[in-house]
């Protein structure tokens, strides 16, 4: 920030707090992103902010004091007893309601003050006074005094975070490292702060309000939606469905459903979104009020069971999935001249949205033109073996955007492991190059990172057409790609044979898999420099007739990215 005050600083200073409160709050808020976001939110009232700050200070003070004569030490062993035994598999959808509403096998640790609040309710039998971070957080949740006073979602988010998200996170953190998921919690901070704007035609955000992922930040284990008090719970549920309208094993593996929850005002309910075509969220708990201490205790029980469910879901995911509803960002160059590329795997439909910014700098580096990119995407729309544009490309405010399908596994998750796999990859990429070259373009960026595979890992296709230019003006770009060698160019130009030479270099990375006479002859042919391939009139189309590829010709449908294929 260059030493300039962040937006929440001024808001904290303006709040009607004592100097002592303000000073202590400053220290705690510095490491609390949720409080920063609340104070920076112009829709949050002064009363809401003061209440939240004082709750934060109360919790911090409680954490600094030793518990009075605890009966149980809320150690990792106690937390493990809560979520154990581990489920062999996630419960079937019809069994989820019973699973979620059956109390945990062990008592949930909480504080003495929380037990006092619920002591006359039967639910108290499932809690015990204890020490430790989980007991403090559960106690804070049950004793929460925050109310819904704003028509915005701010109060709902505070209640939800305190009674659900924070409890689940604390349970995860309290477990021994070998037993925890390592949950990563992400919230939608609004498209104005994102590198990628994702809205429906009506202007509604297509990003989930919140997501829980595995430690690597890739697998989506759960999601949620929030609405303010002027909405009913079914409005939040409708958002869950709309933002999960697309289902693909590339996102969720063989999972039968996606656990989630929805909140509106002070009401919250847990759901599961099934993988069937309707994707209608199914309630798996009763609705509960986050304003009622007994209901908040009930929520704590649901959180324990929900965490058990997430652990089972995690084990059901395959080793490689795409990060649904997440931005993948890559930056090239150094300030002030750097280009940011962003990919977002959408969940309202099975597509990936791509952005490059600033486009003017990227275009200067590469020599590409958006009009030519639109032309090559249009010319190859009915071709197989390469990604297709379903919207765009277009440039607005110096930002290039294109929506693409199909989606596929990155090459790191589907590297050819034998000669048959390498043959299939070469076959697919030659179909892609044949289509690009027939349209009068060259790709110029043939590398394994620009190759994807279908979920079955037997069909490949080419990505990243954003380096394509017309072959008659394919001179060297301002920034020469590091993958080019002395054998890449023909004279000073990048021609169709240059793509074939670069493809040959890619295939050489896996030459050890090739043992057949046809395969070795094919590899030897593509090892020739581009100038030699050009002089011998070797083309992508002629290579498709090579015996090693076994291409059936015009009726071929053996490669990835068939027209209309989504990857779903």
């Amino acid at each position: 920030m260059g030493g300039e005050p962040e937006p929440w600083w001024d808001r904290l200073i303006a709040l009607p707090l004592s100097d002592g409160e303000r000073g202590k709050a400053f220290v705690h808020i510095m490491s609390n992103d949720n409080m920063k976001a609340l104070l920076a939110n112009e829709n949050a009232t002064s009363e809401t902010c003061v209440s939240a700050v004082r709750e934060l200070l109360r919790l911090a003070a409680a954490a600094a004091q030793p518990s009075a004569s605890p009966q149980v030490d809320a150690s990792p062993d106690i937390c493990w007893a809560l979520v154990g035994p581990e489920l062999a598999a996630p419960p079937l959808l019809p069994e989820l309601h019973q699973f979620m509403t059956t109390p945990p096998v062990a008592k949930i640790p909480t504080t003495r003050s929380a037990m006092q609040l619920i002591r006359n309710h039967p639910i108290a039998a499932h809690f015990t006074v204890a020490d430790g971070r989980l007991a403090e957080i559960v106690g804070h949740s049950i004793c929460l005094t925050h109310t819904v006073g704003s028509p915005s979602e701010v109060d709902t988010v505070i209640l939800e975070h305190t009674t659900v998200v924070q409890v689940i996170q604390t349970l995860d953190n309290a477990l021994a490292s070998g037993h925890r998921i390592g949950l990563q919690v992400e919230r939608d901070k609004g498209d104005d702060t994102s590198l990628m704007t994702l809205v429906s035609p009506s202007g509604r955000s297509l990003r989930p309000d919140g997501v829980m992922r595995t430690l690597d930040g890739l697998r989506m284990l759960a999601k949620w939606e929030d609405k303010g008090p002027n909405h009913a719970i079914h409005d939040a549920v409708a958002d869950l469905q709309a933002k999960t309208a697309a289902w693909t094993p590339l996102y969720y593996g063989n999972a039968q459903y996606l656990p989630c929850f929805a909140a509106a005002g002070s009401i919250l309910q847990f759901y599961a979104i099934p993988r069937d075509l309707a994707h209608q969220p199914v309630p798996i708990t009763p609705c509960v009020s986050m304003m009622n201490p007994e209901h908040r205790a009930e929520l704590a029980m649901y959180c324990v069971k929900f965490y058990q469910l997430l652990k089972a879901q995690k084990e059901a995911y395959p080793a490689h999935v795409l990060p649904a509803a997440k931005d993948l960002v890559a930056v090239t160059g150094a300030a002030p001249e750097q280009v940011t590329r962003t990919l977002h795997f959408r969940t309202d439909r099975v597509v990936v949205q791509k952005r490059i910014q600033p486009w003017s700098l990227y275009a200067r580096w590469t020599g590409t033109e958006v009009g030519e990119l639109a032309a090559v995407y249009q010319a190859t729309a009915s071709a197989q073996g390469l990604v297709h544009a379903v919207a765009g490309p277009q440039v607005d405010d110096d930002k290039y955007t294109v929506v693409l399908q199909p989606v596929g596994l990155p090459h790191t998750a589907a590297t050819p492991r034998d000669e048959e796999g390498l043959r299939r990859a070469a076959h697919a990429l030659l179909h892609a190059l044949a289509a690009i070259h027939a349209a009068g373009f060259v790709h110029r960026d043939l590398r394994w990172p620009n190759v994807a595979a279908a979920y079955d890992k037997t069909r490949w296709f080419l990505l990243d057409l954003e380096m394509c230019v017309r072959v008659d003006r394919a001179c060297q770009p301002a920034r020469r790609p590091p993958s080019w060698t002395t054998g890449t160019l023909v004279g000073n130009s990048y021609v169709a044979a240059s793509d074939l030479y670069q493809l040959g270099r890619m295939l050489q990375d896996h030459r050890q898999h090739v043992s057949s006479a046809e395969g070795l002859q094919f590899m030897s042919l593509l090892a020739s420099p581009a100038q030699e391939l050009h002089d011998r009139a070797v083309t992508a189309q002629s290579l498709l007739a090579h015996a090693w590829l076994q291409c059936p010709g015009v009726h071929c449908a053996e490669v990835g990215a068939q027209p209309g294929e989504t990857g779903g």
Side-chain angles (χ1 to χ4, degrees):
M1 297 292 293
E4 297 180 3
E6 296 183 28
W8 63 269
W9 293 9
D10 291 337
R11 186 68 179 278
L12 179 63
I13 292 171
L15 291 178
L17 298 166
S18 69
D19 290 341
E21 287 176 320
R22 192 174 291 109
K24 292 176 182 177
F26 180 85
V27 173
H28 295 296
I29 294 171
M30 285 292 291
S31 59
N32 191 314
D33 288 340
N34 288 311
M35 282 298 301
K36 289 180 183 178
L38 172 64
L39 294 177
N41 189 328
E42 296 179 354
N43 293 322
T45 65
S46 177
E47 292 76 13
T48 294
C49 292
V50 168
S51 175
V53 168
R54 285 178 172 155
E55 284 289 348
L56 177 67
L57 293 177
R58 189 181 73 80
L59 182 60
Q65 297 295 324
S67 297
S69 304
Q71 296 177 2
V72 181
D73 177 16
S75 64
D77 291 339
I78 293 298
C79 292
W80 176 239
L82 266 179
V83 299
E86 286 198 347
L87 304 176
L92 298 176
L93 185 61
E95 302 168 355
L96 268 181
H97 192 280
Q98 180 178 352
F99 168 78
M100 286 291 295
T101 54
T102 300
V105 293
K107 292 186 177 183
I108 301 173
T110 190
T111 58
R112 192 174 302 280
S113 56
M115 283 295 287
Q116 282 292 106
L117 272 180
I118 61 174
R119 67 185 184 280
N120 295 324
H121 192 280
I123 202 169
H126 303 294
F127 289 80
T128 184
V129 175
D131 195 10
R133 180 65 173 164
L134 181 61
E136 292 165 0
I137 293 300
V138 171
H140 176 57
S141 169
I142 294 173
C143 296
L144 184 67
T145 58
H146 193 84
T147 59
V148 176
S150 167
S152 73
E153 298 174 8
V154 173
D155 291 320
T156 300
V157 170
I158 293 173
L159 287 170
E160 171 195 78
H161 178 78
T162 305
T163 60
V164 176
V165 178
Q166 189 170 235
V167 174
I168 294 173
Q169 282 184 290
T170 304
L171 177 58
D172 184 55
N173 291 333
L175 285 166
S177 59
H179 293 311
R180 70 172 66 116
I181 297 174
L183 281 175
Q184 303 296 303
V185 174
E186 301 170 4
R187 285 189 179 274
D188 180 16
K189 297 180 180 179
D191 288 313
D192 56 335
T193 62
S194 171
L195 294 172
M196 182 85 74
T197 300
L198 290 166
V199 295
S200 69
S202 63
R204 296 170 64 188
S205 173
L206 295 174
R207 294 176 180 271
D209 285 343
V211 169
M212 292 182 181
R213 300 187 190 273
T214 50
L215 181 61
D216 58 12
L218 298 181
R219 297 165 182 81
M220 181 194 288
L221 296 179
K223 66 192 300 187
W224 69 88
E225 292 295 328
D226 306 313
K227 289 291 184 184
N230 295 336
H231 292 267
I233 190 73
H234 63 74
D235 294 326
V237 174
D239 277 358
L240 277 177
Q241 183 177 18
K243 297 179 185 181
T244 320
W247 191 284
T248 169
L250 289 163
Y251 292 169
Y252 309 113
N254 294 320
Q256 298 303 302
Y257 51 78
L258 181 68
C260 53
F261 53 90
S266 62
I267 303 301
L268 187 142
Q269 189 169 21
F270 288 88
Y271 291 83
I273 302 175
R275 67 178 297 162
D276 63 36
L277 293 178
H279 307 314
Q280 174 64 47
V282 176
I284 57 176
T285 68
C287 280
V288 292
S289 169
M290 294 182 283
M291 303 287 285
N292 180 296
E294 289 84 5
H295 282 199
R296 292 195 294 268
E298 194 175 345
L299 271 177
M301 289 177 48
Y302 294 156
C303 287
V304 172
K305 302 306 295 274
F306 195 70
Y307 184 79
Q308 283 184 286
L309 179 58
L310 298 189
K311 282 178 66 68
Q313 287 282 108
K314 171 180 175 288
E315 298 306 319
Y317 274 60
H320 300 286
V321 293
L322 296 176
K326 185 180 181 71
D327 289 349
L328 295 183
V329 181
V331 178
T332 304
E337 287 207 341
Q338 60 184 29
V339 170
T340 301
R341 296 173 177 85
T342 308
L343 296 178
H344 184 94
F345 295 93
R346 287 169 51 172
T347 55
D348 62 309
R349 52 193 300 207
V350 185
V351 295
V352 59
Q353 189 156 324
K354 181 176 185 177
R355 169 160 291 173
I356 301 174
Q357 63 186 96
W359 173 254
S360 56
L361 178 58
Y362 178 84
R364 174 158 57 86
W365 283 357
T366 61
T368 53
E369 297 179 1
V370 68
E372 290 190 352
L373 295 182
V376 71
Y377 274 119
Q378 182 177 3
T380 59
S382 60
Q384 59 180 324
L386 76 169
V387 72
H388 303 124
V390 296
Q394 63 186 44
V395 175
D396 292 307
D397 194 25
D398 210 19
K399 299 172 184 176
Y400 169 93
T401 304
V402 63
V403 181
L404 304 164
Q405 66 178 202
V407 297
L409 292 171
H411 80 287
T412 51
T415 301
R417 302 293 183 187
D418 51 29
E419 182 170 349
E420 175 62 11
L422 191 63
R423 182 193 70 79
R424 284 178 168 271
H427 184 192
L429 297 178
L430 281 170
H431 270 288
L433 292 179
I436 291 171
H437 296 168
F441 291 86
V442 283
H443 187 274
R444 298 196 303 166
D445 200 16
L446 271 291
R447 299 177 292 121
W448 282 113
N450 289 336
V451 177
Y455 185 67
D456 61 10
K457 300 182 182 180
T458 64
R459 299 182 303 114
W460 278 261
F461 55 97
L462 182 61
L463 307 173
D464 205 356
L465 273 59
E466 277 64 42
M467 276 282 287
C468 284
V469 295
R470 291 196 181 277
V471 69
D472 57 3
R473 68 174 198 88
C475 57
Q476 293 196 51
R479 286 174 66 100
R480 178 179 170 130
S483 61
W484 292 10
T485 73
T486 55
T488 300
L489 300 179
V490 174
N492 194 41
S493 296
Y494 190 106
V495 298
S498 303
D499 274 344
L500 300 180
Y501 170 73
Q502 292 298 111
L503 172 62
R505 295 189 66 235
M506 289 172 56
L507 300 179
Q508 290 294 330
D509 292 344
H510 303 285
R511 184 185 177 90
Q512 72 276 13
H513 297 315
V514 181
S515 59
S516 70
E518 295 88 350
L520 292 172
Q521 196 276 334
F522 183 90
M523 298 289 285
S524 177
L525 173 61
L526 280 190
S528 304
Q531 181 69 63
E532 185 175 335
L533 293 171
H534 179 73
D535 292 343
R536 293 166 57 188
V538 177
T539 66
Q541 194 62 50
S542 68
L543 286 171
L544 283 170
H546 195 280
W548 186 56
L549 296 182
Q550 304 170 28
C551 180
V554 294
H555 301 296
C556 180
E558 297 178 0
V559 303
Q562 296 294 315
E565 183 179 352
T566 66

